[in-house]
Amino acid sequence: MALAYNGLILIFLILSMTFLKDITWTEIFVVIHTTAALACMLRVLYKQKNIGSTFAWLIILFLFPVFGTIAYILIGEPRLGTARAKRSDEMKRFYGEFAEKYLHDVHLDISGQMKPHLHGISQVAAHTTGLGRRKATP
């Protein structure tokens, strides 16, 4: 069994060497670079939240593919370290426990006192912090 497996590997290596001898280093570099640029473009489309920065990165990647790929890999995404992500989770948990302990009977609906164009940001803040629109419990 091992002999047959080694024979298949040998046949594969011989066939690939005959096929690969016609490929130049430039073609290999172009394929690798194109793959990296496309991967960065897909990552930009799926990971960037701001539309302006998404378009800016796509333009950079299209106009300057080598520079753009390297730049995006180095500075394209904010990298939160594990310690910072852990602190963020601790803060969210602390504020959630605080709200449950001290604000469980407080009604925080101030939408009637707020200008209509601020309702969206108020909802985002309430959803993010968990400190919004609590109804009084009897």
Side-chain angles (χ1 to χ4, degrees):
M1 182 70 170
L3 186 60
Y5 182 71
N6 289 340
L8 287 174
I9 291 175
L10 184 63
I11 291 171
F12 174 75
L13 288 174
I14 291 171
L15 289 174
S16 62
M17 293 302 282
T18 57
F19 175 72
L20 292 178
K21 73 177 183 179
D22 296 333
I23 297 176
T24 64
W25 283 105
T26 305
E27 292 169 336
I28 293 171
F29 174 75
V30 167
V31 167
I32 291 171
H33 171 68
T34 303
T35 304
L38 287 174
C40 284
M41 288 177 201
L42 288 174
R43 185 138 178 113
V44 165
L45 288 172
Y46 286 108
K47 289 290 183 177
Q48 292 290 334
K49 304 225 185 288
N50 184 348
I51 292 194
S53 65
T54 300
F55 282 129
W57 276 114
L58 288 175
I59 289 170
I60 289 171
L61 287 167
F62 277 119
L63 294 180
F64 310 105
V66 174
F67 168 75
T69 303
I70 293 169
Y72 187 76
I73 290 170
L74 292 177
I75 62 170
E77 293 180 18
R79 289 172 175 75
L80 288 177
T82 55
R84 188 171 175 187
K86 184 179 175 184
R87 280 194 315 254
S88 176
D89 290 340
E90 288 173 1
M91 282 179 26
K92 286 181 183 177
R93 189 174 29 240
F94 170 77
Y95 286 120
E97 290 171 0
F98 177 85
E100 289 298 320
K101 185 175 182 179
Y102 297 107
L103 301 175
H104 63 87
D105 60 346
V106 177
H107 185 59
L108 296 176
D109 187 10
I110 59 168
S111 60
Q113 303 167 6
M114 197 179 332
K115 294 181 181 177
H117 69 279
L118 298 175
H119 284 249
I121 192 74
S122 173
Q123 290 174 350
V124 170
H127 177 70
T128 302
T129 62
L131 298 176
R133 292 195 181 193
R134 296 183 182 277
K135 295 184 179 179
T137 55

